[in-house]
Amino acid sequence: MPHATLLPDGWPRPKGYANGVAARGTLVFVAGQIGWTSAERFEADDLPGQVEQALRNVVAVLAAGGARPEHLVRMTWYVVDKADYARRTAEIGAAYRRVVGAVYPAMTLVEVKSLLETRALVEIECTAVIPD
């Protein structure tokens, strides 16, 4: 395992993320990725579809840095509609598992008024650590 998850004594185990992660190695920082293709075209106008594409973009950037999804230690998700996120968690979770797998880094979800690209519904930024 490239990193250790942190769970304080007495805390319940979180579902789908970690409270904290300890890691050592080469850091790979992934700028916010949105749900468009490498040709900057949106193929989905729904949140689960854009999440899946944004995660594919994250994985592509990780690969360019020599990292894989299992090296992820931190993710921040920016969504324009947290109620939509809450309604569609099953679909979003399925998309996450298809692209990233059973990897659960420390994660934060933030609702924002809007994103730079008008059609974007989600933006995901990450940090990965490639073990020494």
Side-chain angles (χ1 to χ4, degrees), residues 31 51 62 78 89 103:
V51 163
L62 288 173
Y78 303 92
T89 55
V103 176

Side-chain angles (χ1 to χ4, degrees), residues 1-37:
M1 171 153 257
H3 60 270
T5 58
L6 307 175
L7 182 64
D9 288 341
W11 285 29
R13 184 165 302 285
K15 295 178 181 155
Y17 66 95
N19 286 307
V21 176
R24 176 177 295 164
T26 301
L27 301 174
V28 178
F29 300 95
V30 180
Q33 299 298 307
I34 60 174
W36 65 12
T37 66

